[in-house]
Amino acid sequence: MASKTTNLVADWDPNRAAEIINAHLGLEGPALPILHGLQAAFGCVPSEAIPMVAKALNRSRAEIHGVVTFYHDFRDAPAGKTVVKLCRAEACQAVGGREAATFLLASLGIGWGETTPDGAITVEPIYCLGLCAAAPAALVNGEPHGRLDGMALIEAVAEATQS
Amino acid sequence: MIRLFVPKDVSALAVGADRVVKALTQQAGEGVQIVRTGSRGMTWLEPLIEVETPEGRIAYGPVTPADVPGLLAAGLLSGADHPLRIGRPEDHPFMVRQTRLTFARCGIVDPLSLDDYRAHGGLEGLTKALAMGPEAVVAEVTASGLRGRGGAGFPTGIKWKTVADAAADRKYIVCNADEGDSGTFADRMILEGDPFCLIEGMVIAGLAVGATKGFVYSRSEYPHANVSFTEALILAREAGLIGPDVLGSGRSFELELRVGAGAYVCGEETALLESLEGKRGMVRAKPPLPAHIGLFGKPTVINNLVSLASVPVILAKGAKAYADYGLGRSRGTMPIQIAGNARYTGLFEAAFGITLGEIIDTVAGGTLSGRPVKAVQCGGPLGAYFPPSLFDTPYDYEAFTARDGLIGHGGIVVFDDSVQMGAQARFAMEFCAIESCGKCTPCRIGSTRGVEVIDKIMAGTEAAANMAVLEDLCQTMKYGSLCALGGFTPYPVMSAVRHFPEDFNGSGISAKVPAE
């Protein structure tokens, strides 16, 4: 978790955060929609937002921290410019997914969940994109790619980083 | 106007469907309309494009943008011959063998056209349900023999009856679309390819049990499905299919899409309810059942997406017509999803009773690599690995249970002989450790100890003694866990040990895969 005194989010805006929180308060069970909204706006769930969410929902900060940290999706700092969500699950394993992943990670010099030092590329493990009949599969900046191998994966990532 | 059909299903997009559409738009000329559909489920042929002709729709696939000029020159627009031509999709052997009930429209209709939906039998079930009245609808669903398609196989009608009989000021219908099992994509295909079918099924459920609000809990891993289902909800509301006065019946039913946040355990129904309530996705102890105390403490029908999407056809054709398909206590059809190292991958809806061998050898055509099949994992990451010696197992809830396996949500992942089963057993434990909600000890700690003990076995460290520890650990997880995550992880592990002992011989070949 990010230190509470360090602002990792360059475009942190408490007014915008409040707007996002307020926009969802009419929902039944608004916590996840709020957190998704914050992450969509700031690239992560900024630590500054947690007390705001807690207050709005009449829950403790610890509880909201607990919710944020439970779910793999929610980040405490923004990801790299290009995000590769690469499937690690069985259907992709069966057609060379492990090898493709190893190839990509080695060529980028990072591990699962890490970002390249220049902040360009983050590789996140994901457990199933439902593209199991066109495996191995990945989402690169949200774009789906199937029937991948190591080279095709690197090409897809290179294309995304250039656009 | 010549109509071309190109899937917008994400499995087609992942292999270039949008680029093919772009090429067709630029090159096909005036007078050609491109309709985006869901997927037929013949995924190995994607992108599969179809052209409307007097003889029916003629398909070509897999098509790349580079194929487009040649296809057009050969006479694509009149359905002419070409090496990529596969003829009418419904005549393809992969489709001929199927019984398409739940997926009857998928890949055929424009998923966001209610007119198309109606023209293909949509809303017949709901119309009948409104005429029959709630009690008769519950009786009909019970009589159909429909059981939970998420894997647990609980009779849907009994669940509905429990909620219908519960007295409460508010009740909910929750669709479990948190389809996290590797090898499964049936929920996604409906969300993208026939969303009104799910909406209709949920409205019927709401009317039948007296619920006025529904939630579809989908996954953040399905961004395309979520976008298209959101559009479908808007159209359904505009058409009065959902809202304060469902199709002029005076009954109200509201429906909302919610998206998870990457936690596999939220596919467990009580964890899903916790997540909908905005909490950590921690499993609840049962009882109380969600049918009594569910979402926000209210009686709740929580069904798998495929169960709910099967309801319209059951009402439209009658319970008996549905129950006439199947075997033993497994009635109707199951969308079997063939994935991984298979030659013909995709969705195959069939009546229960087909054998696993028929599915693998005939339908799936063996492996993509051409090497022998070594194992198939049935029912997702918590399902057993079956060796070819068990391929006589009929596809049926009870038959799979009898062989220490499960059909789960219908996924089958094929592996060739290059797979190392020790690595697969290790992955099962590793996955459980990553995804455990942490509430119960056997799952939270057992999974981590499981990874360690498999590593010891694979490294040859006191292999026999550690194998005994692994078996003991699996027993503890199986009988001591709160939900299927810890309780079923022993299935892939122990099936790998039992059927492939040579892959655990302590020869020092590490099963380690790249670390997290």
Side-chain angles (χ1 to χ4, degrees), chain B residues 65-80:
Chain B
D67 295 323
V68 169
L71 276 164
L72 289 168
L76 164 75
L77 299 180
S78 56

Side-chain angles (χ1 to χ4, degrees), chain B residues 13-37:
Chain B
L13 301 183
V15 290
D18 277 350
R19 291 198 299 277
V20 172
V21 167
K22 196 174 166 199
L24 285 168
T25 310
Q26 288 167 347
Q27 298 168 40
E30 298 286 310
V32 174
Q33 182 196 2
I34 297 176
V35 180
R36 301 305 293 267
T37 63

Side-chain angles (χ1 to χ4, degrees), chain B residues 232-268:
Chain B
L233 281 178
I234 293 168
L235 295 172
R237 193 164 291 121
E238 283 171 3
L241 175 55
I242 53 175
D245 182 19
V246 171
L247 298 185
S249 65
R251 304 282 304 274
S252 149
F253 190 76
E254 283 296 341
L255 190 50
E256 223 179 280
L257 173 70
R258 288 294 171 86
V259 179
Y264 175 77
V265 75
C266 288
E268 196 284 332

Side-chain angles (χ1 to χ4, degrees), chain A residues 24-83:
Chain A
H24 293 96
L25 287 179
L27 297 176
E28 295 178 89
L32 257 66
I34 288 174
L35 297 175
H36 275 306
L38 290 168
Q39 179 143 312
F42 300 111
C44 68
V45 179
S47 56
E48 295 87 338
I50 289 178
M52 297 173 69
V53 176
K55 186 152 190 263
L57 301 183
N58 196 22
R59 293 166 70 180
S60 73
R61 282 154 61 172
E63 248 186 293
I64 301 302
H65 173 79
V67 173
V68 172
T69 52
F70 180 86
Y71 295 95
H72 299 306
D73 280 2
F74 298 130
R75 314 181 56 88
D76 58 13
K81 202 158 164 277
T82 293
V83 178

Side-chain angles (χ1 to χ4, degrees), chain B residues 8 131 228 250 287 309 351:
Chain B
K8 208 179 174 184
S228 57

Side-chain angles (χ1 to χ4, degrees), chain A residues 87-110:
Chain A
C87 182
R88 285 193 67 201
E90 289 90 342
C92 289
Q93 292 169 4
V95 276
R98 284 189 180 112
E99 293 75 11
T102 305
F103 190 70
L104 176 70
L105 291 171
S107 69
L108 296 176
I110 56 174

